[in-house]
Amino acid sequence: MRASAVVLTGISALALSACGPSDTELNGHGASGNAAAPPAPAAVDSQRLLAADNEPGEWMAPGRTYSEQRFSPLKQINDGNVHELGLAWYFDLNTHRGVESSPLVIDGVMYTISAWNVTYAIDARTGKQIWRYDPQVDRDRARFLCCDVVNRGISAWKGKIYLTTIDGRLIALDARTGTPVWSTQTFDKTWPYTSTGATRVFDGKVIIGNAGGEYGVRGYVTAYDAESGEQLWRFYTVPGDPAKGFESKAMEMAAKTWTGEWWKQGGGGTAWDAIVYDPELKLIYIGTGNGSPHAQAYRSPGGGDNLFLASIVAVRWDTGEYVWHYQEVPGDSWDFTATMPIILADLEIDGKLRKVLMQAPKNGFFYVLDRVTGELISAEKFTPVNLWATHVDLKTGRPAITREARYGTEPVLLTPSVAGAHNWNPMAYNPITGLVYFPAQEHWWPFSIDPDYKVPDGPAQRTSTGTGGPMTPKRMELMKLADSREKGWLTAWDPVKQKEVWHVPHERAGNGGVLTTAGNLVLEGTAARTFAAFKADTGEKLWEMPVQTVPMAGPITYMLDGEQYVAVNAGWGGGMAMAELRGGRGMHRSDARVLVFKLGAKGELSPLPDRPPIPLPPPSTASKEVIDKGADLYARTCANCHGPQAVSGGVIKDLRHMTAQTHAMFNDIVLKGTMSGLGMASFANVLSESDAEAIHAYVIARANDEWNR
Ligand code: CA
């Protein structure tokens, strides 16, 4: 039976080239019934997860193993034959929004999560859908997402699949049917929280943080009982109002590093991605986010380190009790999160085997920490230009922050930017080459304090981060300069010597996460809308295939019936597409898909539909005063999703290209939530009728000006 399924898969892959993008049901048609369902789907427990290397054909956790190395011991596909890689099948995710998760593959079933938290179980041989679960996320929540309606992954435990939703639910699904077993609300929805991270499961506990550091929230991480959803422990990453008492000694300690009334604006420190379990040391490492609001002047006006912003914090796995911390960015004012992927490894450093963790966060330094003690072993710059800090003092662990990085109300062009020298895109460590691979970038941003920032008078009012401010001619000029300097590349980094071994330049920034294998391979999606394979030891490009969109997520690999597959979620979006100037420019809004490759397959994607013609904008008739007011309001309220300068990054429709019909509805969309079903909530609580008109006038002016075509 299994042998015939392989043959039929080959035929169905050929048939796929004729399939329309919405023919999800037809994916893999012809092979149905051959793959006998395993008796217990997602039958994953501690024993299996701890011994994941004994089952290299499975991908049972977001980073494959608890070390999150994203290294696969599989080598049937290798540097000698990867040029024969082809599309085995694809699965349409029915969205144009960003997809940032890595699928799981357990006993022949693939589980994956897409935009708006829609979750799927798919036959990993054939691409045939087994079930689909739509949590019906509150679309208005998109207003509090800086970086698209994404999710970074799901996890599995004893027959259940765990996901978090943008509106803060943690949901356990029956892995056989996709029906919810339990659901719990993880945050107070009156605050502008969201949740986009990958869930992780360990020892019967499921753990999740949250997001919202751009809008004013207080970060924390919570562990729940995987069977019941009952809350087990919670660790806050920043202190709350001291008058209410501290939850722990750690919060009491942290509060000494803050000034003013930070709790009124949340403080930030949201853990929206890296939360890593260390079964050896029984610790959880939490990567924490930026300060909220961004500018420290408005958050902690007397300065201070503001613990535990932009830190790695180790807590006990069973109680959430604080053990150690290392702060990468004291007193963050740059949106420099430390939530980027964390990898655990044992490395020989100066003749000693050290238990380390590694991270390459936004601030552009590659950190190696002793994970037993939190001691900083080394930190080096991984981009050629870093105007934020000259070096990290290994004695004190503190960065030598440059004078120019201490910006004021006058904009200063700095790199790394708010998008970072490396962002959430997964990195991978190959124990054979000893190298860490990740997409690095040189990205610039004009930082300035917004002189007109006002502390909001209540939660969920927030539209600004305390930085930026009006789009002055100076700021405009710097934005263009930032645009022209943008670069992206794949880097291979030696974490012991702390230096780059090779790099492959890419067309632009915003490239995909990475997988590395024992076949001497690195696999990565590129911003040129391709999926590519490189030699892990030298960086030589061995194979590349155009795939119509950017596979931003981390690829995975698995083995079924003796055949190795490579899979990746491909769907451009996320922060680079929402708030980016150049990264997504000219990007075709394309269907997101799961792409699955194997040797010798010849499947093809159906061709992209023609782009609709760009409608002519109405003439720009408003006064300069109104347009300037609109530009200012736009920068504070709209730019996070619709792009600075009203230039789309290829995920949301470009506002300059609105149809006459959309122009006619403009105020209703902005103030009455006419398009809230698409994620465009009403902004009536922060914008008046005349504000909306001014923003409209600005968008029309932008559609008429030089940058338009
Ligand atoms: Ca942020």
Side-chain angles (χ1 to χ4, degrees):
M1 287 297 273
R2 290 199 163 182
S4 69
V6 172
V7 174
L8 285 168
T9 307
I11 293 166
S12 68
L14 288 173
L16 268 180
S17 56
C19 280
S22 61
D23 292 337
T24 306
E25 290 303 312
L26 292 177
N27 283 5
H29 182 76
S32 58
N34 281 295
V44 170
D45 56 14
S46 279
Q47 209 176 356
R48 264 188 106 178
L49 283 169
L50 291 170
D53 278 338
N54 296 341
E55 298 182 79
E58 310 285 325
W59 195 284
M60 298 184 287
R64 195 180 73 84
T65 65
Y66 280 133
S67 68
E68 307 224 358
Q69 292 180 358
R70 290 179 180 264
F71 164 79
S72 170
L74 298 182
K75 53 185 175 186
Q76 187 182 75
I77 300 171
N78 56 54
D79 55 352
N81 61 20
V82 71
H83 61 274
E84 293 166 30
L85 207 59
L87 189 65
W89 53 264
Y90 69 88
F91 181 89
D92 207 292
L93 293 168
N94 294 304
T95 182
H96 285 171
R97 304 296 290 263
V99 186
E100 297 187 351
S101 65
S102 295
L104 305 178
V105 173
I106 304 162
D107 303 325
V109 180
M110 177 182 289
Y111 303 91
T112 198
I113 185 164
S114 175
W116 296 114
N117 309 121
V118 179
T119 305
Y120 298 89
I122 305 163
D123 185 319
R125 285 178 181 81
T126 64
K128 188 177 161 40
Q129 180 177 307
I130 297 168
W131 52 254
R132 173 183 184 271
Y133 170 68
D134 182 350
Q136 302 289 336
V137 170
D138 173 6
R139 262 49 180 174
D140 281 358
R141 213 70 204 165
R143 186 180 149 182
F144 301 126
L145 277 166
C146 66
C147 304
D148 205 358
V149 293
V150 296
N151 182 280
R152 296 183 196 84
I154 50 181
S155 54
W157 182 263
K158 295 186 178 174
K160 296 186 188 69
I161 298 294
Y162 301 90
L163 65 132
T164 183
T165 63
I166 286 159
D167 50 14
R169 287 168 285 160
L170 177 66
I171 301 173
L173 299 178
D174 182 326
R176 187 187 300 275
T177 59
T179 50
V181 180
W182 56 257
S183 172
T184 186
Q185 183 63 31
T186 65
F187 57 68
D188 175 356
K189 286 176 78 175
T190 59
W191 287 80
Y193 282 105
T194 51
S195 190
T196 57
T199 57
R200 268 91 167 181
V201 187
F202 61 96
D203 194 53
K205 301 169 185 66
V206 53
I207 190 163
I208 190 68
N210 43 51
E214 267 61 76
Y215 302 96
V217 299
R218 181 186 181 199
Y220 56 82
V221 166
T222 316
Y224 298 88
D225 184 293
E227 281 307 314
S228 65
E230 184 199 342
Q231 182 177 321
L232 299 175
W233 55 257
R234 175 164 290 177
F235 179 81
Y236 284 96
T237 57
V238 295
D241 181 357
K244 293 183 179 165
F246 298 109
E247 291 86 358
S248 63
K249 285 221 155 34
M251 286 301 103
E252 197 177 340
M253 167 178 83
K256 296 192 173 96
T257 66
W258 291 75
T259 59
E261 296 179 311
W262 69 89
W263 60 90
K264 290 188 171 172
Q265 301 174 86
T270 50
W272 52 261
D273 195 16
I275 301 171
V276 179
Y277 169 55
D278 183 342
E280 254 183 289
L281 301 178
K282 300 279 192 253
L283 295 176
I284 303 280
Y285 310 108
I286 303 166
T288 69
N290 54 273
S292 184
H294 286 180
Q296 193 188 28
Y298 294 122
R299 186 181 70 233
S300 182
D305 285 353
N306 298 173
L307 292 174
F308 297 105
L309 294 183
S311 303
I312 295 174
V313 188
V315 301
R316 283 178 58 96
W317 66 296
D318 52 350
T319 59
E321 195 186 334
Y322 166 89
V323 178
W324 59 252
H325 79 275
Y326 172 72
Q327 188 176 46
E328 293 172 355
V329 187
D332 170 53
S333 255
W334 305 272
D335 189 11
F336 279 172
T337 59
T339 54
M340 283 65 241
I342 292 172
I343 286 178
L344 314 185
D346 293 349
L347 297 183
E348 195 182 311
I349 298 171
D350 295 334
K352 268 189 259 168
L353 198 65
R354 305 283 299 259
K355 292 185 191 309
V356 308
L357 67 77
M358 301 182 275
Q359 190 185 46
K362 278 188 184 181
N363 74 9
F365 284 82
F366 191 100
Y367 293 89
V368 180
L369 265 61
D370 182 318
R371 64 181 201 267
V372 181
T373 60
E375 178 206 345
L376 175 67
I377 295 173
S378 58
E380 288 295 335
K381 287 183 265 194
F382 61 82
T383 56
V385 190
N386 189 319
L387 299 186
W388 170 68
T390 56
H391 63 282
V392 176
D393 184 325
L394 293 184
K395 282 215 176 72
T396 62
R398 297 179 75 87
I401 298 171
T402 63
R403 192 182 296 247
E404 62 191 309
R406 306 279 186 192
Y407 60 87
T409 51
E410 270 303 300
V412 182
L413 195 60
L414 297 175
T415 187
S417 72
V418 293
H422 168 229
N423 209 303
W424 61 269
N425 312 64
M427 65 177 194
Y429 168 67
N430 189 323
I432 300 168
T433 61
L435 301 177
V436 178
Y437 307 93
F438 58 97
Q441 57 193 25
E442 185 178 316
H443 199 264
W444 296 72
W445 191 255
F447 287 88
S448 56
I449 290 174
D450 178 357
D452 300 324
Y453 178 77
K454 286 182 196 71
V455 177
D457 52 11
Q461 301 291 314
R462 295 161 173 77
T463 56
S464 166
T465 59
T467 53
M471 193 50 73
T472 57
K474 169 80 175 164
R475 217 173 140 73
M476 287 267 279
E477 184 196 315
L478 293 179
M479 288 284 224
K480 283 188 185 179
L481 205 53
D483 195 16
S484 69
R485 291 179 179 176
E486 185 196 304
K487 294 181 192 75
W489 64 95
L490 169 64
T491 193
W493 190 266
D494 182 331
V496 175
K497 294 183 181 145
Q498 280 281 20
K499 65 174 187 118
E500 188 178 89
V501 173
W502 55 256
H503 81 259
V504 176
H506 286 323
E507 201 174 88
R508 49 174 118 183
N511 297 286
V514 169
L515 162 72
T516 186
T517 75
N520 195 25
L521 292 177
V522 174
L523 292 123
E524 188 197 24
T526 81
R529 286 170 287 181
T530 67
F531 190 58
F534 305 88
K535 238 177 134 169
D537 53 357
T538 64
E540 184 192 342
K541 191 191 280 179
L542 300 171
W543 171 84
E544 187 167 27
M545 179 172 164
V547 293
Q548 301 180 353
T549 183
V550 183
M552 304 184 295
I556 66 155
T557 185
Y558 60 97
M559 199 150 195
L560 275 172
D561 311 320
E563 244 186 327
Q564 187 185 351
Y565 296 79
V566 171
V568 68
N569 279 320
W572 176 243
M576 288 298 282
M578 304 294 277
E580 225 284 329
L581 206 58
R582 177 170 163 265
R585 190 177 295 166
M587 206 69 92
H588 198 301
R589 296 174 74 239
S590 173
D591 296 307
R593 300 173 173 124
V594 186
L595 305 175
V596 178
F597 305 87
K598 65 174 185 175
L599 295 176
K602 303 263 189 268
E604 284 173 30
L605 296 167
S606 50
L608 285 172
D610 289 339
R611 290 184 193 221
I614 295 172
L616 276 178
S620 182
T621 54
S623 68
K624 186 179 179 305
E625 197 188 1
V626 169
I627 292 169
D628 287 351
K629 177 188 166 189
D632 185 31
L633 288 166
Y634 178 92
R636 294 169 198 279
T637 320
C638 318
N640 241 9
C641 293
H642 292 281
Q645 311 293 320
V647 178
S648 161
V651 62
I652 289 182
K653 277 186 187 166
D654 197 308
L655 291 181
R656 300 167 306 158
H657 304 163
M658 288 189 293
T659 61
Q661 203 183 2
T662 311
H663 278 292
M665 295 165 65
F666 192 88
N667 275 26
D668 285 353
I669 293 168
V670 174
L671 301 174
K672 292 185 184 161
T674 317
M675 289 196 178
S676 64
L678 297 174
M680 174 62 201
S682 162
F683 282 74
N685 69 334
V686 288
L687 296 174
S688 69
E689 194 92 12
S690 68
D691 289 343
E693 277 161 17
I695 292 170
H696 194 188
Y698 165 70
V699 171
I700 292 171
R702 289 289 298 121
N704 279 281
D705 83 12
E706 34 138 8
W707 280 13
N708 191 19
R709 319 254 147 179

